[in-house]
């Protein structure tokens, strides 16, 4: 069975090369690591500082293992949704969002699982159910594929695609180490954010990891009752315990906790909800991102009017930083809560 290189840490590459008859040296493992993660080559034949016979041999023994683009959907706002095919034929989605201010910055939204088990009532991915975990290599591969040759200091990564990252924590943490290794891909920890529906015991575990992304919590409701109705998984992980875990979370000096809040018309978007959100977050070093619902077929909620969203923001903003997140790629089902491999009908399909 051929082992893909993407997903291997340096020690894994050393071990894999060591298993070959007459293994190449540890220096070769470093060259391979550097080529795949720092130079982002897409074929081993491009590693020009390896002797040709070795290059040919490695090409036979080790696939790089990047996901394959099955389809690419391009939005009128420049956002691209990729439908990526994995080695076993399963598909997963990754979204490339170029900033609209001409700075050349971009955000890549990656998936952590195929489908999702969390079952939030406003999210299309929930309708897929959980198909399987992604490996560390499949998580890193999404970044390498979408980033191409874009400079690393222009990129932000959000683990907000399909799946619940804290229910695949070991693989997510291995992927985070690979993404942040200064000798490899080299992303700053300030540029990677993991978003969770609130898997309470795993929040503490994440906090203990020496190399970890920033943490965002999908709050989405202002009372326990509302939250349990919208996000069934929170019947197991209660709001009170979530807030406790947030207070105990070891923030780094430069870090704030982000809370995301999907606004659903007439459900959780009143001024009273906004005041309760402020109370919930009172003793935390936090900021809030508001997201007006992105609608989808089968989702039984409506988007609030912009004036309602503004009023909600105004109340929260008196106490803590509060931003309205602009939806990206709505026309190609690339926005938050829309990743369900939609692809036919009204969509513009670019190959
Ligand atoms: N499972 C993780 C990451 C995926 S969801 C989590 O729950 O955080 C990423 C974000 O999209 C979450 O904040 C979620 O609340 C939001 N979201 C889900 N469905 C949405 C929809 N239909 N419209 C707007 N935001 C949505």
């Amino acid at each position: 069975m051929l082992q893909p290189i993407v997903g291997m840490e340096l020690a894994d590459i050393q071990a894999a090369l060591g298993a070959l008859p007459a293994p190449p040296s540890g220096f070769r493992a470093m060259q391979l690591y550097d080529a795949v993660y720092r130079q982002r080559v897409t074929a081993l034949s491009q590693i020009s500082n390896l002797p040709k016979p070795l290059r040919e041999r490695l090409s036979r023994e080790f696939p790089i293992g990047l996901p394959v683009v099955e389809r690419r959907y391009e939005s009128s706002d420049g956002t691209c949704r990729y439908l990526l095919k994995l080695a076993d034929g399963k598909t997963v989605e990754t979204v490339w969002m170029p900033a609209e201010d001409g700075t050349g910055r971009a955000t890549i939204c990656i998936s952590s699982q195929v489908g999702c088990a969390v079952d939030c009532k406003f999210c299309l991915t929930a309708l897929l159910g959980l198909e399987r975990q992604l490996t560390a290599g499949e998580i890193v591969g999404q970044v390498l594929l979408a980033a191409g040759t874009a400079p690393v200091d222009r990129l932000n990564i959000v683990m907000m695609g399909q799946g619940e990252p804290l229910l695949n924590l070991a693989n997510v943490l291995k992927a985070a180490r690979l993404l942040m290794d200064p000798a490899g891909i080299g992303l700053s920890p300030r540029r990677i954010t993991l978003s969770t529906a609130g898997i309470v015991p795993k929040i503490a575990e994440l906090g203990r990891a020496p190399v970890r992304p920033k943490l965002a919590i999908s709050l989405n409701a202002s009372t326990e009752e509302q939250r349990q109705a919208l996000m069934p998984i929170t019947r197991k992980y209660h709001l009170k315990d979530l807030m406790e875990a947030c207070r105990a979370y070891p923030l780094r000096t430069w870090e704030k906790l982000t809370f995301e809040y999907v606004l659903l018309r007439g459900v959780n978007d009143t001024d009273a909800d906004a005041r309760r959100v402020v109370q919930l977050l009172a003793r935390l070093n936090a900021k809030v991102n508001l997201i007006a619902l992105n609608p989808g077929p089968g989702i039984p909620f409506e988007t609030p009017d912009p004036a309602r969203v503004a009023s909600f923001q105004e109340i929260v903003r008196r106490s803590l930083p509060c931003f309205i997140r602009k939806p990206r790629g709505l026309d190609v089902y690339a926005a938050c809560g829309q990743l369900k491999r939609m692809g036919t009908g009204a969509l513009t399909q670019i190959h």
Side-chain angles (χ1 to χ4, degrees):
M1 177 67 182
L2 293 174
Q3 274 265 26
I5 295 180
V6 171
M8 288 188 185
E9 294 183 275
L10 182 59
D12 302 326
I13 297 183
Q14 265 157 358
L17 293 184
L20 296 178
S25 70
F27 176 66
R28 296 298 182 207
M30 269 166 66
Q31 282 181 310
L32 210 52
Y33 185 91
D34 181 271
V36 169
Y37 295 117
R38 201 181 57 75
Q39 302 170 42
R40 299 186 218 154
V41 301
T42 53
L44 295 185
S45 57
Q46 295 163 4
I47 311 179
S48 49
N49 58 357
L50 287 181
K52 194 148 183 258
L54 179 60
R55 234 185 292 165
E56 281 170 359
R57 179 171 168 200
L58 293 179
S59 304
R60 282 192 304 272
E61 306 277 347
F62 296 102
I64 289 198
L66 287 171
V68 172
V69 180
E70 170 130 313
R71 271 210 143 105
R72 180 174 173 274
Y73 302 92
E74 191 167 326
S75 161
S76 55
D77 71 10
T79 297
C80 265
R81 176 167 63 98
Y82 291 96
L83 185 66
L84 300 179
K85 197 173 187 152
L86 308 172
D88 66 350
K90 294 238 180 242
T91 55
V92 81
E93 288 161 303
T94 301
V95 183
W96 165 263
M97 292 168 273
E100 291 169 297
D101 57 6
T103 55
R105 292 183 198 284
T107 300
I108 301 173
C109 176
I110 58 175
S111 297
S112 55
Q113 300 179 311
V114 184
C116 188
V118 172
D119 203 24
C120 300
K121 296 304 172 199
F122 42 79
C123 179
L124 277 177
T125 308
L127 303 176
L128 295 173
L130 177 65
E131 294 183 22
R132 74 162 166 86
Q133 305 285 13
L134 290 180
T135 64
E138 288 165 341
I139 297 171
V140 172
Q142 295 173 66
V143 174
L144 291 175
L145 190 123
T149 54
V152 79
D153 60 354
R154 289 277 181 280
L155 296 176
N156 280 300
I157 310 298
V158 294
M159 293 188 180
M160 298 188 187
Q162 284 186 13
E164 167 49 54
L166 292 192
L167 292 178
N168 186 17
L169 186 54
N171 291 342
V172 161
L173 283 177
K174 182 169 188 186
R177 288 196 300 273
L178 284 166
L179 291 169
M180 290 186 238
D181 181 358
I185 300 174
L187 276 154
S188 151
R190 296 167 198 242
R191 295 191 168 278
I192 309 186
T193 303
L194 173 163
S195 175
T196 178
I199 312 299
V200 171
K202 298 286 177 181
I203 291 176
E205 198 177 324
L206 176 69
R208 287 193 291 273
V211 178
R212 59 176 188 274
K214 293 193 292 183
L215 178 59
I217 310 271
S218 295
L219 184 62
N220 295 340
S222 70
T223 67
E224 178 78 279
E225 194 190 6
Q226 218 180 44
R227 201 159 185 270
Q228 289 190 6
L230 296 172
M231 304 169 72
I233 198 159
T234 67
R235 290 175 202 154
K236 189 159 166 202
Y237 303 113
H238 295 165
L239 185 55
K240 196 172 131 291
D241 300 328
L242 174 63
M243 288 301 130
E244 194 67 30
C246 289
R247 280 190 287 274
Y249 191 75
L251 288 173
R252 288 155 285 192
T253 49
W254 45 267
E255 194 175 7
K256 270 183 193 303
L257 275 176
T258 300
F259 287 85
E260 297 147 289
Y261 194 101
V262 184
L263 289 161
L264 311 170
R265 183 205 289 248
V267 176
N268 66 355
D269 65 345
T270 65
D271 288 353
D273 285 303
R275 286 191 288 271
R276 280 193 293 266
V277 167
V278 168
Q279 277 164 14
L280 277 172
L281 306 184
R283 289 165 39 227
L284 290 166
N285 182 7
K287 71 168 183 175
V288 176
N289 282 337
L290 301 176
I291 321 168
L293 175 78
N294 298 315
I299 299 298
F301 299 104
E302 289 169 56
T303 309
D305 297 330
R308 179 88 302 276
V309 178
S311 168
F312 197 106
Q313 180 192 27
E314 212 33 61
I315 292 170
V316 178
R317 205 158 57 179
R318 284 180 218 142
S319 305
L320 64 167
C322 180
F323 306 92
I324 298 173
R325 209 152 75 186
K326 188 178 163 211
R328 299 294 306 273
L330 265 179
D331 54 344
V332 293
Y333 283 98
C336 296
Q338 294 195 312
L339 298 182
K340 192 191 159 237
R341 305 185 199 128
M342 308 285 278
T344 47
L347 292 175
T348 353
Q349 295 188 356
I350 325 283
H351 49 252

